[in-house]
Structure formats: C-alpha cells, structure tokens
Amino acid sequence: MAALEFTIEKRLKGALGRAGILKTPHGVVQTPAFVPVGTLATVKSLTPEEVRALGAQIILANTYHLFLQPGEETVAKGGGLTKFMNYGGPTMTDSGGFQVFSLGFARGHGVTKVLKKTEKRLPRDEQESEHSKLVSVDEEGVTFTSHIDGTTHRFTPERSIAIQEKIGADIIFAFDECTSPLISYEEMKASIERTHRWAKRSRDAHTRKDQALFGIVQGGRYPDLRKQSAQYIADLGFEGFGIGGSFDKDDMTSIVALVNETLPENKPRHMLGIGEIEDLFEGVERGVDLFDCALPTRHARNGMLFTAQGRYDMCRADNKEKFEPIEAGCGCYTCTNYTKAYVHHLFKANELLAYRLATIHNLYFIVHLVDRMRASIMDDTFFEFKKEFLSCYKKA
Ligand SMILES: [Zn+2]
C-alpha cells in the first residue's frame, strides 16, 4: 500500500475543521487525534500496551533522543520503532530539528513554543553568544552538543531522514530550522528560506516507500511568511504537513487558519508540540488533524492533573482525606480504581506508582477530549461542545 491514505469523513460547517481517517501500515487513526509523546520509545512510566489501552491511537518518538541512545541502528535491528517497543500501532518521529535547536537555546531561556506576553526578549547578541556555545547552524546543517555527554554531532536534512528511515516510524518529518519566537521579520524570512531548501533536500533523500514524509511549515508570527511557507511546502508534494512553532499566543489561531487555508485540503496536518486545552479546540476548528505534546505527561509527573474544571494540584494538602476519584465520571483506570487521597499519598511519599496513575489519567483525559471533539464534528455539535467545555475549564 501507499505509505498513507487519508479520507475526510465530515467537514465542520463554516470552518476548516474536519473528521478523517488516516490509514498507515501499522493501523488506522481516526482524526482529529492527540498523539502522546514517547521521547525515548517510551511514554514515561507506562508500558506501550497501557498507552494503547487508554485509547491512544498513535505515538510520537523523538529522533534526536533515539539517535543519542540507543542509536538508530539498534532500533532498526530491533525491528523498527513499533516492534522494538512492542507498541503494535502507528508511530511517528519528529526530525530532531526542534530538539537540536531548543536544547541549546530555547530551554536555556525558558522560551516556549507559544510565547506568552510576559516572556522577555533578550538582546540579539546575548541570545547568540549563549546559543553558539551549544549549537552552530550553517547552510548544510546543524552541529550540536549532546545534552547527555557533551559529545559533538551533526544533523543535515539527509542525515535526519536517514536516521528516521532506520528508526522506521510510519510518519516522519522533514528537517527544518527552528527559531525563537522572538526573531525579527528579516531573520524569520531568511530562516524559512533555509527551511524550504532543507525541505527539498529532505524530500530528495527520502527512499522508504512505506513511510510517509511530512513537510514542515514555518514562518513564526508573520502572516505573509506563513502563507509563503505553506505554499512552498505544499508544492513539494509531501504526503502531509507539520505546522511548526513558534507563535505569539494572540496570533496562533489566525496563523493556523491561514496555513490550513493554503495547504491542500486532502492531506493530513499535524501541529507540532501544542497541547493546551484551548489550543486543541482552536486547532481542531481550524483544520488540524493531529497534535503531539509532552505537556500532559510532564504535568502528570509533577502532580498537575487535568479535570473538566481546569488543572488540579494533587499535592495540595486538602487531598489528604478526599476518598473520591480525581474526576467524577472519568473512565480511566486510575479514577475507576483509586481515590485522590491515595494518589496524594503516593506523591507525598515519592512513590513511583504516583507517576503511573497520574500519567494514565492525564493522557486518558486529553486523548478522549480530542476524541469527543471528533464525535462532535461527526454529529454537528462541535461549537456547542466547545462553548460548554471551555465555559467550565479554568485556565491555569
Ligand atoms: Zn481519570
């Protein structure tokens, strides 16, 4: 079969949203869908079977991390990503671009993909001197320092594709230049032009017919650059598309709509690294089919649990004797079997089971929320569902 078949089942009236079916060599994904992140071929603290059992249809692993350990050759010898981790279902890998750039730069400055109004702009020269210690970019590719042992490595578009072909996920991504949300128009323009040259090189390097290659649209917060990028990437004939960070919070919705109006309608679109509840609704409404984000699992390990009323701090002292589920009516394994008091106790005692139970709940919550968005597109109640849900959900 072709690496990927995508069918649109139903369109959202008066908007770009749609419900679809994505067929991959390792199974089917009903979209829109949330994609849990299994950075090192593991969703931290859960077995891959548990991830499937809670309702996840597809997972994303990080090329940068698997390249550093255990190495793509080992994953290939283990039968490829899905077999190596005994997942059985569809998988995707990112290109490694975001980690190569961000582990050297954005993380050091606390800059996230969606820029909040409070985040400060550092002087450009200060950014560069910090950044250049860890990452250097040239037209051919990126040289970077391993966050594990300080060794030096180099990714080029060709190298990223070769590594992703060895890892063997069903969906892989073109290598792109990831920039800070803070750069100027001129800098962003130069950056997308490089991303476009790298997209073409990624496409030309791609040989495996059983893997679908997605091109990535960049352009930051600048509408005309986003449009230009979407048009260019669309013309390269990829099987699907990634929408890369970075956004100003206020501009995100209009940028996503603009990009998806420009991209061909009949191919899947994946929004990279976005997982805030409001952003998921806005993305689905504007035609995004897949979302990945490490936030729900990271929050879980910190005791921050999702509920319909907003995030809930499991470490709060008043949970000590609450012998009720984390969320009444939640169908997850944790809420079916355990109380807030018990999970609170596990967090206070630093027990490993705390991470497992919290991760199960958060992933179940977000995976099923996007499933409910899909169901509401199918039965024409999306806008009512969105309004009702967001009216109860308090932002953190
Ligand atoms: Zn639950």
Side-chain angles (χ1 to χ4, degrees):
M1 67 178 276
L4 207 67
E5 285 175 33
F6 182 62
T7 323
I8 295 172
E9 284 202 306
K10 179 115 182 190
R11 288 173 177 82
L12 192 57
K13 284 197 188 78
L16 294 161
R18 67 267 188 93
I21 304 269
L22 188 63
K23 286 188 184 157
T24 80
H26 286 97
V28 169
V29 182
Q30 297 196 317
T31 63
F34 182 80
V35 186
V37 176
T39 296
L40 278 158
T42 165
V43 174
K44 289 187 199 317
S45 83
L46 303 188
T47 66
E49 292 89 331
E50 286 169 327
V51 178
R52 261 179 104 63
L54 65 79
Q57 305 178 72
I58 174 168
I59 57 178
L60 177 141
N62 295 128
T63 293
Y64 165 88
H65 289 91
L66 288 176
F67 159 77
L68 290 177
Q69 57 182 31
E72 69 278 14
E73 296 289 348
T74 303
V75 180
K77 283 180 193 157
L81 182 59
T82 193
K83 184 155 193 294
F84 178 59
M85 67 186 291
N86 194 35
Y87 179 62
T91 54
M92 46 172 60
T93 46
D94 60 10
S95 69
F98 180 69
Q99 279 78 22
V100 164
F101 286 94
S102 69
L103 290 176
F105 170 67
R107 197 158 81 167
H109 290 86
V111 175
T112 55
K113 297 188 104 175
V114 179
L115 189 64
K116 298 196 179 80
K117 281 189 169 159
T118 49
E119 277 170 349
K120 276 205 318 261
R121 181 189 283 257
L122 279 175
R124 177 74 180 164
D125 53 351
E126 213 175 300
Q127 290 173 25
E128 292 216 319
S129 65
E130 279 297 309
H131 191 208
S132 61
K133 285 180 202 154
L134 294 154
V135 182
S136 76
V137 192
D138 57 66
E139 181 55 28
E140 276 306 299
V142 188
T143 303
F144 60 95
T145 307
S146 159
H147 72 287
I148 300 172
D149 59 7
T151 50
T152 302
H153 303 274
R154 187 161 168 79
F155 275 7
T156 60
E158 292 79 10
R159 184 90 180 96
S160 166
I161 297 298
I163 295 167
Q164 292 188 81
E165 290 196 345
K166 289 272 184 192
I167 294 171
D170 298 291
I171 296 170
I172 66 174
F173 283 92
F175 192 66
D176 57 330
E177 184 173 71
C178 300
T179 54
S180 160
L182 305 169
I183 64 173
S184 71
Y185 181 88
E186 286 310 315
E187 289 165 328
M188 186 60 81
K189 190 168 190 303
S191 174
I192 66 161
E193 283 163 4
R194 175 171 284 160
T195 284
H196 295 167
R197 291 190 293 273
W198 287 2
K200 199 160 177 296
R201 283 168 55 189
S202 297
R203 186 200 62 183
D204 294 345
H206 178 49
T207 60
R208 272 185 72 162
K209 298 284 178 258
D210 60 337
Q211 287 184 307
L213 176 62
F214 283 22
I216 299 183
V217 176
Q218 290 287 4
R221 62 187 191 275
Y222 304 107
D224 65 317
L225 296 182
R226 282 281 182 184
K227 194 171 169 64
Q228 200 183 314
S229 184
Q231 253 153 11
Y232 187 91
I233 296 294
D235 289 344
L236 289 180
F238 290 105
E239 286 163 274
F241 304 97
I243 304 171
S246 31
F247 304 96
D248 262 320
K249 191 90 182 162
D250 295 344
D251 300 338
M252 192 192 82
T253 51
S254 58
I255 293 281
V256 172
L258 178 72
V259 167
N260 284 338
E261 275 163 6
T262 310
L263 291 173
E265 200 203 5
N266 61 350
K267 292 185 179 178
R269 302 130 178 193
H270 179 106
M271 208 159 159
L272 290 145
I274 299 293
E276 295 284 0
I277 301 299
E278 308 82 26
D279 298 339
L280 296 175
F281 274 102
E282 301 304 338
V284 165
E285 183 176 330
R286 288 162 182 80
V288 177
D289 304 301
L290 297 161
F291 302 85
D292 78 87
C293 192
L295 221 62
T297 41
R298 194 179 305 140
H299 281 326
R301 295 193 300 278
N302 290 323
M304 293 303 291
L305 299 192
F306 291 131
T307 74
Q309 283 74 48
R311 278 189 222 153
Y312 186 84
D313 182 359
M314 194 41 62
C315 299
R316 259 171 39 190
D318 64 350
N319 289 306
K320 190 171 164 58
E321 296 194 352
K322 283 190 177 160
F323 301 105
E324 62 197 33
I326 294 160
E327 179 155 56
C330 174
C332 88
Y333 174 81
T334 303
C335 292
T336 307
N337 293 290
Y338 302 98
T339 61
K340 279 180 182 166
Y342 181 63
V343 178
H344 169 75
H345 154 66
L346 295 176
F347 270 106
K348 295 313 266 185
N350 288 322
E351 280 292 335
L352 297 179
L353 187 57
Y355 307 127
R356 288 175 48 70
L357 295 180
T359 302
I360 288 172
H361 171 80
N362 267 10
L363 274 188
Y364 182 99
F365 180 92
I366 202 155
V367 163
H368 285 264
L369 177 60
V370 179
D371 288 351
R372 283 158 71 196
M373 292 182 202
R374 182 183 203 278
S376 74
I377 294 175
M378 292 303 284
D379 67 12
D380 294 315
T381 57
F382 176 83
F383 292 105
E384 293 90 322
F385 175 55
K386 178 186 171 190
K387 195 172 165 197
E388 193 192 318
F389 193 94
L390 292 180
S391 71
C392 300
Y393 189 84
K394 278 192 224 59
K395 286 184 190 176

